[in-house]
Amino acid sequence: MTCVDESSAALSDQLELHRRMWVLRLLGMAIAELRGDDMIAGSPPVGFGQEAVAVGAGAALREGDVAIATRGPYADLVGLGARLGPTIAPMMGRIGADGGLPAPAPAVKRSPLLAVGHAYLQWLDDAGRVTLCVVADSEVDSADFDQAAKLAVCRRLPVVILVEDIRGACSARRNGCGRETRLYRTAAGYGMPGVSVDGHDVAAVRDRVAQAVERARTGGGPTLIHAITHRTDLCAPDRADDGDRDGRFVDPLIVARRRLMAAGATPARLSEDECAARRLVADAVAVAKSGPVACPPMSG
């Protein structure tokens, strides 16, 4: 492969990550609108500003791997490339009409222990599959996390623990430096590596998670990854600055856009991807609305 071919392939990969982030941002906006119209009960999590974590982490997995997120499943399904209609439909109490990955059963508590359970089955199966466990920073002190981490290290289970440190969130009780130090000490205390990544940089998240996934896949055991992001009420980055890393918010979509343009992507191509994402989300909402009623809408 020539250098030109490699550069073209790298740009294509970055464009796909950018497209998926747009899909996730627009899907979050659609879910918020459906909730406002009382078509979705409860408060399903809408993580504006965390798109790079879900998309980057999902891009590091392969078929047969499992992603368990305690904050809610739809972001990770988008990161894994799932069809959107079946992702939205269960929130509305409907059955998606276009197939695709099913939504997780609402009765199952989505916790680190569930993720480790999947990893244990993968360890027994010994087929090289891995579980990604995504937890909030506030959950690291929980009994569930403690038990899950101990079991994962004891058995060298094929699991990657991705801790989302959402700064500016109500749960962010500690200052940034203190939280980062605490998480490194937490990882070392359990006997697993602890690494940090900029959660606004989708390519960095993908590469960091891919390294940990490969380690887990080859019998190296669990890794704890600390991904730093910011929460925002911003819906779309059309007129937004990308922020300051010492400030409250850095928009991952604008970070990705600027890097893509520096790598040779044209504004027309980026706008084309955005329009395609808008059509995809609009079609998915229409599919979800048209599906047969399965049960009352799930509460968040």
Side-chain angles (χ1 to χ4, degrees):
M1 181 180 286
T2 67
C3 292
V4 173
D5 291 335
E6 291 175 354
S7 176
S8 177
L11 180 60
S12 178
D13 287 344
Q14 291 178 52
L15 284 166
E16 175 59 19
L17 295 175
H18 177 256
R19 185 192 69 82
R20 288 193 184 186
M21 282 199 294
W22 259 112
V23 170
L24 185 51
R25 173 69 60 84
L26 294 167
L27 181 60
M29 293 167 63
I31 288 172
E33 184 175 345
L34 290 168
R35 187 173 59 201
D37 292 339
D38 294 327
M39 299 187 70
I40 293 179
S43 301
V46 178
F48 297 132
Q50 284 78 64
E51 293 87 359
V53 176
V55 171
L61 302 179
R62 70 187 189 196
E63 187 176 356
D65 293 337
V66 173
I68 299 291
T70 60
R71 71 192 182 299
Y74 87 84
D76 296 282
L77 290 174
V78 173
L80 291 168
R83 293 185 179 180
L84 301 187
T87 300
I88 305 172
M91 300 180 189
M92 303 170 64
R94 294 178 178 272
I95 299 172
D98 65 342
L101 296 178
V108 176
K109 177 176 172 57
R110 300 179 66 77
S111 74
L113 287 172
L114 176 63
V116 167
H118 278 285
Y120 182 70
L121 292 176
Q122 291 169 330
W123 177 71
L124 291 175
D125 185 51
D126 195 23
R129 298 186 179 92
V130 172
T131 292
L132 173 70
C133 174
V134 185
V135 301
D137 169 63
S138 58
E139 295 177 82
V140 172
D141 296 325
S142 70
D144 279 2
F145 182 92
D146 179 64
Q147 293 299 315
K150 286 177 178 176
L151 179 57
V153 171
C154 178
R155 293 288 188 178
R156 297 177 70 86
L157 297 181
V159 61
V160 175
I161 301 172
L162 178 59
V163 179
E164 281 190 308
D165 182 354
I166 306 173
R167 299 183 179 178
C170 294
S171 62
R173 300 181 304 276
R174 305 170 180 84
N175 63 60
C177 182
R179 277 179 286 170
E180 189 165 351
T181 301
R182 176 180 66 94
L183 286 168
Y184 284 137
R185 288 176 178 170
T186 296
Y190 286 114
M192 71 176 92
V195 296
S196 185
V197 67
D198 181 357
H200 309 102
D201 185 338
V202 65
V205 172
R206 178 200 56 196
D207 294 345
R208 183 70 80 183
V209 173
Q211 292 170 2
V213 164
E214 183 60 23
R215 179 176 183 272
R217 207 183 297 284
T218 55
T223 300
L224 187 149
I225 300 174
H226 177 214
I228 304 166
T229 65
H230 291 75
R231 176 170 294 166
T232 178
D233 293 330
L234 182 68
C235 288
D238 298 334
R239 295 177 299 277
D241 187 9
D242 66 346
D244 185 328
R245 300 212 182 275
D246 295 325
R248 291 181 57 83
F249 177 60
V250 181
D251 193 313
L253 281 165
I254 289 187
V255 171
R257 180 183 180 89
R258 289 183 173 180
R259 290 186 178 178
L260 281 166
M261 292 184 68
T266 65
R269 172 58 196 275
L270 297 176
S271 296
E272 194 178 296
D273 285 349
E274 177 192 336
C275 290
R278 290 184 185 279
R279 289 193 298 270
L280 183 65
V281 172
D283 290 346
V285 171
V287 166
K289 287 180 177 179
S290 67
V293 175
C295 59
M298 297 182 333
S299 60

